[in-house]
C-alpha cells in the first residue's frame, strides 16, 4: 500500500480495532507495513535485524521472510510466548541492557515499546549502541496525548489516568492491563525530538506520524498540535560513524 495514503490508514485502523479478536492478522499486517518502511532506506535481504520488544515475533518473522537475519529480544515472558508461538533466535532480554556486542545490527527495530519504559533515553542509547555505523534505528511509540495514549483506556485518559482505569474496570469487570507509572509512561513528542536532535551519534532520516494519511512530516513540526495529531511518532535514524571512522 502507498504510504502515506487514506487507504493504508483505514486498513491499519480496521486491523487495530480487530486486534483483541485477531491479533495475528493485525500484527502481521503491521509487520509488513514496517518492513516496507525500512526498505525505503535499506534492503532487508542479508541484513542483521534486532527487534527489541517485539512480543511473540511477528516483526521478526516478516524480516526473515525478506531475507534478513532476525533476532528478537523481549523482556516479558508472557509476550514472548503469546498466541502459542515463539520464533527461533528469540530470547528474554531487557532493552536497557541487550546481550549484543556494539555495532552488531544493520537495523535495530522497536515498535510501540518506548511508551512502556520509564527511561526512554537510555533505551534509545542502547538501540544506537548495538547498531553499526551507517545502520538504521527504527523506533515508534504512542505518545501520551495521542487519542490512543491511554491504550485500552483511551480516550478517557484525557480525564486522568486513574479515572480512566476506574471506568475501564467498571465497564469490563477486570482491571486494565496498563497502569501509568508502572508499565505505561507519559512519553511526549517534543522532548523526544529535542533529545534525538541533541545527539551526535545519530542522523534523523524521518520524524513523522506513523499512521496518519497525509502531512505526516509537517504534523510533527507544530508544537502542541503534534502531541495530539501525530498519534504515533516514527523515528528512522542513521547511526553516525565513529570519530575514528572519519
Amino acid at each position: 500500500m502507498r504510504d502515506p495514503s487514506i487507504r493504508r490508514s483505514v486498513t491499519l485502523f480496521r486491523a487495530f480495532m480487530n486486534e483483541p479478536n485477531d491479533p495475528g492478522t493485525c500484527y502481521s499486517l503491521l509487520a509488513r507495513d514496517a518492513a516496507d518502511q525500512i526498505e525505503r532506506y535499506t534492503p532487508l535481504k542479508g541484513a542483521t535485524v534486532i527487534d527489541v520488544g517485539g512480543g511473540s515475533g511477528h516483526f521478526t518473522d516478516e524480516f526473515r521472510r525478506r531475507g534478513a537475519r532476525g533476532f528478537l529480544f523481549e523482556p516479558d515472558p508472557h509476550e514472548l510466548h503469546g498466541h502459542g508461538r515463539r520464533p527461533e533466535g528469540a530470547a528474554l532480554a531487557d532493552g536497557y541492557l541487550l546481550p549484543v556486542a556494539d555495532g552488531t545490527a544493520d537495523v535495530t527495530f522497536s515498535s510501540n515499546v518506548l511508551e512502556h519504559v520509564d527511561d526512554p533515553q537510555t533505551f534509545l542509547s542502547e538501540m544506537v549502541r548495538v547498531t553499526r555505523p551507517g545502520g538504521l534505528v527504527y523506533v515508534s511509540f504512542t505518545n501520551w496525548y495521542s487519542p490512543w495514549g491511554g491504550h485500552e483506556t483511551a480516550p478517557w485518559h484525557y480525564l486522568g489516568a486513574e479515572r480512566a482505569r476506574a471506568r475501564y474496570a467498571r465497564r469490563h469487570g477486570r482491571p486494565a492491563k496498563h497502569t501509568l507509572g508502572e508499565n505505561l509512561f507519559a512519553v511526549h513528542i517534543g522532548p523526544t525530538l529535542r533529545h534525538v536532535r541533541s545527539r551526535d551519534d545519530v542522523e534523523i532520516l524521518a520524524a513523522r506520524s506513523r499512521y496518519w494519511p497525509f502531512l505526516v512530516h509537517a504534523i510533527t513540526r507544530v508544537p502542541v498540535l503534534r502531541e495530539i495529531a501525530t498519534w504515533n511518532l516514527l523515528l528512522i535514524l542513521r547511526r553516525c560513524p565513529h570519530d575514528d571512522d572519519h
Side-chain angles (χ1 to χ4, degrees), residues 5 16 27 29 32 37 42 44 46 63 69 76 79 86 123 139 156 168 175 185 203-204 218 220 228 246:
S5 70
F16 295 149
Y27 291 116
L29 175 63
R32 292 194 298 272
Q37 290 174 325
T42 189
L44 283 167
F63 299 149
R69 296 181 296 275
D76 187 339
E79 293 291 338
R86 173 178 174 171
F123 185 89
V139 57
W156 302 100
Y168 183 93
F185 298 88
E203 171 193 3
I204 300 176
T220 62
I228 300 172
H246 288 297

Side-chain angles (χ1 to χ4, degrees), residues 115-147:
E115 71 266 33
H116 299 294
V117 300
D118 62 357
D119 186 354
Q121 294 185 7
T122 297
F123 185 89
L124 286 170
S125 292
E126 186 68 352
M127 292 186 68
V128 174
R129 179 188 70 79
V130 302
T131 306
R132 66 167 177 80
L136 293 185
V137 175
Y138 177 115
V139 57
S140 81
F141 69 93
T142 303
N143 55 298
W144 178 245
Y145 289 124
S146 160

